[in-house]
Amino acid sequence: MINPRKSLLGRLSFSLVYVFLYLPILLLIIYSFNKTPLPNKLSAFTLEWYKELFNYKEVWVCFSNSMFIAIMTTFICLFFSLLLIYYKTIGGKIRKIIPLFYGNLMIPDTVLAISLACFFALCKIPLGLTTIIITHSVVGLGLSIPLIYLRFKDLNPSLLEASSVLGASSWTTFKRIVLPFMMPSLLGTGLMIFILSFDDYILTYFTAGSSAQTLSLFLVASLRFGISPMINSLTTILLLFSIGVVALLFLLKRKEELEKC
């Protein structure tokens, strides 16, 4: 029998944890519509900060840079993951090399960022959008290849054998059987890599140089001069954007689980 006091204490503890986690975010959203900035008291509702945000061109340049980096990183990671899976489809041996990609996830971001920055300097590669994309792709491959490979392992091998017996080429088998089967996993993994690349700060900071500015770098730089209400508006929009992407990711994962049943 469950002790009512322990049950009440557990619920209270969970409630305090949720308040600690989400109260600052809720205050940020509220003050994005407040006429006076933090730490002033609530005064009047206004959309002034959102209007100022949409008229601030530098923000949207940083936003477009972040979008470009995230899209290119996602494309590169999924492309090389599919190449590896195609190699496996035609009979290649990749099981022993899959664990190597987990190394990027175990290495701290700061160590990886500094090592890549030193590598770019050694190769005399100028820091900018290109180096950021390479850095994000190195980390993203550590996510995409193991996840996509796990999905591929769920494919019934008899389907590949039947396709080969019926005379289909390796490319036709990959296009008609493997690719449709892996599509939910590809979309889910792609969304995960996209949002991680879009929000990344540490890797971007060390490999951006002075010529590239992303949204995460802009936000941190802006905080040095105080919290502007315009920043509250921007982070509110980014929060809604991230929630939408994560919700879509969960829907795709749910669909994938239902297909397995």
Side-chain angles (χ1 to χ4, degrees):
M1 185 175 179
I2 299 176
N3 191 327
R5 291 184 178 180
K6 290 184 178 180
S7 177
L8 180 61
L9 182 61
R11 292 178 182 178
L12 181 61
S13 300
F14 277 113
S15 300
L16 291 175
V17 170
Y18 282 121
V19 169
F20 177 77
L21 288 175
Y22 295 108
L23 183 60
I25 298 175
L26 180 61
L27 288 175
L28 182 146
I29 296 173
I30 293 174
Y31 271 90
S32 70
F33 296 100
N34 190 41
K35 192 170 184 178
T36 55
L38 281 168
N40 298 317
K41 295 182 179 180
L42 293 173
S43 56
F45 177 86
T46 181
L47 294 175
E48 176 185 350
W49 311 120
Y50 286 90
K51 294 177 182 178
E52 183 179 340
L53 172 65
F54 284 103
N55 291 326
Y56 194 29
K57 294 182 179 180
E58 185 179 353
V59 172
W60 301 110
V61 171
C62 297
F63 178 81
S64 61
N65 287 340
S66 294
M67 285 291 292
F68 176 74
I69 291 168
I71 290 171
M72 290 301 300
T73 299
T74 304
F75 173 78
I76 291 171
C77 292
L78 294 182
F79 177 74
F80 281 103
S81 299
L82 286 176
L83 280 182
L84 201 63
I85 296 301
Y86 178 71
Y87 178 69
K88 172 66 176 176
T89 304
I90 63 177
K93 304 295 182 181
I94 65 172
R95 188 175 62 179
K96 292 183 179 180
I97 68 173
I98 294 297
L100 298 177
F101 291 95
Y102 288 105
N104 295 338
L105 302 179
M106 294 185 291
I107 300 173
D109 286 348
T110 306
V111 175
L112 184 60
I114 294 175
S115 62
L116 286 171
C118 293
F119 174 77
F120 294 141
L122 181 65
C123 297
K124 297 182 180 180
I125 301 175
L127 298 181
L129 293 180
T130 303
T131 54
I132 298 174
I133 293 171
I134 294 172
T135 304
H136 288 192
S137 299
V138 169
V139 177
L141 287 171
L143 285 171
S144 63
I145 289 180
L147 290 176
I148 292 175
Y149 177 70
L150 287 175
R151 174 64 173 172
F152 176 77
K153 287 177 67 177
D154 293 334
L155 180 63
N156 191 343
S158 61
L159 295 176
L160 302 179
E161 295 175 2
S163 177
S164 178
V165 169
L166 293 173
S169 64
S170 57
W171 171 247
T172 302
T173 301
F174 180 78
K175 183 175 66 174
R176 297 292 181 85
I177 298 177
V178 178
L179 201 57
F181 177 78
M182 299 182 63
M183 192 57 66
S185 180
L186 289 172
L187 292 175
T189 305
L191 287 173
M192 186 186 303
I193 295 171
F194 177 86
I195 198 168
L196 290 175
S197 175
F198 186 86
D199 292 336
D200 181 80
Y201 172 75
I202 296 177
L203 296 170
T204 305
Y205 176 79
F206 284 97
T207 57
S210 58
S211 61
Q213 180 84 329
T214 64
L215 203 55
S216 58
L217 296 179
F218 172 80
L219 286 172
V220 174
S222 300
L223 292 176
R224 297 174 184 173
F225 305 101
I227 301 176
S228 168
M230 186 187 68
I231 300 301
N232 294 340
S233 304
L234 177 59
T235 49
T236 300
I237 293 174
L238 291 178
L239 176 64
L240 295 176
F241 175 75
S242 300
I243 290 174
V245 174
V246 171
L248 183 58
L249 175 63
F250 275 107
L251 288 175
L252 291 172
K253 288 292 183 183
R254 179 62 178 170
K255 181 181 178 181
E256 186 177 348
E257 291 175 358
L258 290 175
E259 288 179 355
K260 291 181 180 179
C261 296

